[in-house]
Amino acid sequence: MTVSGRFTLRVGWAAATLCTVCLPAVSTAFAQGQGQPAGPPVVGVVTARKEPITQTEQFIGRIEAKQRVDIVARVTAFIEKRLFVEGADVQEGTLLYLLEKGPFQAAVDAQRAQIAQVKAQLGNARLTTQRARTLLGGPAGQQSTYDAALANERALEAQLQAAQAQLETAQINLGYTEIRAPITGQIGRTALTIGNVVGPGSGVLTTIVSQDPMFVTFPVPVHEAITLRARYTPLGGFGAVVIRAQLPDGRLYGHTGKLDFVNNTIATNTDTILLRGVLPNPPIFDRTHDSITVRELLDGEFVTVFLEGAEPVEVVAIPRAAVLADQQGSYVYVIGPENRAEQRRIQLGQSSTTLAAVTSGLKVGEQVIAEGLQRVRAGEAVSPEPADTTLQRFMRNSAARDGRATPASPDGSSRRR
């Protein structure tokens, strides 16, 4: 046999072997394709039921200090000392700057000398007036002499009052040479250093902002403000609302706050009304380094504000994954008569990333398809089975978390407190 003949024989044997191996599989697949049609698709269903969920609205807000003071010089003088650490917390009354005292102390001393001089003149004038009054009863007494002495006495009394007022002014100016903190808070950087001349026209020397608590202000569209008012006023007003904040890095701030103010005017350019809450801002660490206290919230910081009810409310809830949407809105598939899938249009209320709160279109107890939605067609029969136990357990756990109003993180996942 030639080489080519052997090659042909081996190829033919390999092809025959391959057909022998593949034939049962192909026959089986064909038999399955040509056999009885497959039954209705199996879908997982959950029961629509009442679940506690906290109603939450999300807004963009800004952190603001409750108190903010710009420190300026009240008198013109040289800066002799700076007595604070930039960025540190200072207490009300803490001495911040010490200005040159000499000229102002000299002015106080001069006014005191002026008062002493006027007092001496006033004492002599009173004696003169007393003598003139005594002489009025005798032949040497004259009314004009008495009147002149009395007028001089009263003029000196007025000079004494003016000198005392000037002394008070000089003492006030002397006090201005000690610049103290008017509030408790964190102090910023100094604009002028030792040796510079400062005065009322020098501008801001430094700024102090209060730290704990802090305000958070956020504009709310008027139509949402009306909805919030209708929702929470019967429940206790401000006391029925809890404020949470999400920091710029996506972390949820660990302290909750309270709403304390609603503005009395509407911003006509944005059709919004300003709301304000109060958040605690304690130090992050118990121990500080170099007198610098580190806190989470900073004045002027942007945050995401979650305005939520203090108490959860019960709503008809289903898994968020069961909700579909098209151009007409949201809908779900429910199990109808003869196990046929029915498309049901629904209205969603306040929902979370895991639970959908249904305000209309669905009743408690209805079976909602939550798994196998890609195989469902409206009006076609399905084979309903309880949804996977993992989904059932996840729904219960989600309800428990949402009952505590867990906001969603920027990537859509739920954050546990």
Side-chain angles (χ1 to χ4, degrees):
M1 182 182 292
T2 63
V3 175
S4 101
R6 287 198 301 271
F7 178 76
T8 305
L9 179 60
R10 288 177 182 174
V11 171
W13 178 83
T17 303
L18 180 60
C19 290
T20 303
V21 173
C22 295
L23 184 57
V26 173
S27 299
T28 302
F30 180 81
Q32 290 178 351
Q34 297 297 327
Q36 301 237 345
V42 178
V43 295
V45 298
V46 296
T47 302
R49 60 173 180 257
K50 290 280 190 179
E51 294 286 0
I53 188 170
T54 300
Q55 296 174 304
T56 305
E57 279 72 31
Q58 179 177 331
F59 307 98
I60 299 299
R62 185 188 292 274
I63 299 297
E64 294 181 3
K66 291 190 69 173
Q67 292 180 290
R68 179 187 181 92
V69 178
D70 292 332
I71 305 299
V72 297
R74 303 290 297 274
V75 294
T76 301
F78 286 97
I79 299 177
E80 289 188 346
K81 292 182 180 179
R82 175 175 64 85
L83 303 172
F84 63 90
V85 177
E86 295 174 309
D89 282 3
V90 295
Q91 299 297 316
E92 180 180 354
T94 300
L95 183 60
L96 304 178
Y97 295 96
L98 187 62
L99 306 184
E100 180 186 17
K101 286 180 174 288
F104 302 97
Q105 183 63 55
V108 170
D109 295 341
Q111 290 304 316
R112 285 175 177 166
Q114 181 67 23
I115 288 175
Q117 180 181 0
V118 174
K119 282 183 176 180
Q121 294 174 350
L122 178 60
N124 182 58
R126 285 171 177 169
L127 292 175
T128 302
T129 302
Q130 184 177 4
R131 286 194 296 268
R133 184 186 303 111
T134 303
L135 293 175
L136 282 177
Q142 294 183 1
Q143 185 66 41
S144 59
T145 303
Y146 171 72
D147 292 341
L150 183 60
N152 184 52
E153 179 184 347
R154 291 176 177 175
L156 290 172
E157 287 177 348
Q159 291 181 21
L160 178 60
Q161 292 178 357
Q164 289 173 338
Q166 291 175 357
L167 173 61
E168 186 175 353
T169 300
Q171 290 174 332
I172 290 174
N173 290 333
L174 177 62
Y176 287 156
T177 60
E178 294 182 355
I179 302 179
R180 298 180 178 272
I183 62 171
T184 297
Q186 185 180 31
I187 195 166
R189 62 185 292 270
T190 184
L192 294 174
T193 56
I194 297 173
N196 286 280
V197 176
V198 296
S202 301
V204 178
L205 298 180
T206 188
T207 301
I208 302 176
V209 294
S210 61
Q211 294 295 296
D212 189 12
M214 299 287 272
F215 284 142
V216 56
T217 58
F218 49 100
V220 176
V222 173
H223 69 277
E224 290 192 45
I226 294 173
T227 301
L228 293 173
R229 181 179 62 190
R231 180 189 303 166
Y232 293 117
T233 298
L235 301 178
F238 287 172
V241 180
V242 175
I243 290 179
R244 299 185 185 274
Q246 193 175 50
L247 302 176
D249 62 357
R251 291 182 298 112
L252 190 66
Y253 185 53
H255 301 275
T256 62
K258 288 290 185 181
L259 189 67
D260 79 324
F261 171 75
V262 177
N263 203 8
N264 58 356
T265 58
I266 295 174
T268 56
N269 57 336
T270 59
D271 198 33
T272 59
I273 187 168
L274 188 70
L275 274 65
R276 187 184 71 192
V278 181
L279 289 168
N281 190 30
I284 299 177
F285 307 107
D286 294 335
R287 304 177 67 179
T288 59
H289 177 69
D290 293 336
S291 302
I292 305 298
T293 302
V294 181
R295 303 174 190 268
E296 286 274 17
L297 303 181
L298 300 175
D299 180 52
E301 183 179 23
F302 274 112
V303 295
T304 301
V305 179
F306 295 99
L307 192 64
E308 56 191 41
E311 296 293 335
V313 296
E314 287 197 342
V315 297
V316 178
I318 58 175
R320 186 78 182 191
V323 180
L324 303 174
D326 57 16
Q327 293 181 349
Q328 299 179 16
S330 300
Y331 65 93
V332 295
Y333 285 112
V334 299
I335 303 299
E338 301 178 357
N339 286 340
R340 294 189 179 276
E342 292 183 359
Q343 188 185 65
R344 186 73 59 79
R345 293 288 171 181
I346 60 173
Q347 293 292 329
L348 294 179
Q350 179 63 52
S351 303
S352 70
T353 56
T354 55
L355 286 182
V358 182
T359 59
S360 64
L362 196 63
K363 297 179 181 179
V364 175
E366 290 192 286
Q367 300 294 308
V368 180
I369 300 176
E371 294 177 330
L373 288 167
Q374 68 276 11
R375 299 187 295 271
V376 177
R377 298 294 182 270
E380 295 184 0
V382 294
S383 179
E385 292 184 0
D388 183 48
T389 55
T390 303
L391 176 61
Q392 301 275 11
R393 184 170 60 254
F394 180 70
M395 185 177 175
R396 289 193 297 269
N397 294 340
S398 297
R401 288 197 303 270
D402 293 331
R404 296 191 300 273
T406 306
S409 65
D411 59 1
S413 62
S414 179
R415 291 185 176 271
R416 184 185 298 271
R417 291 188 186 87

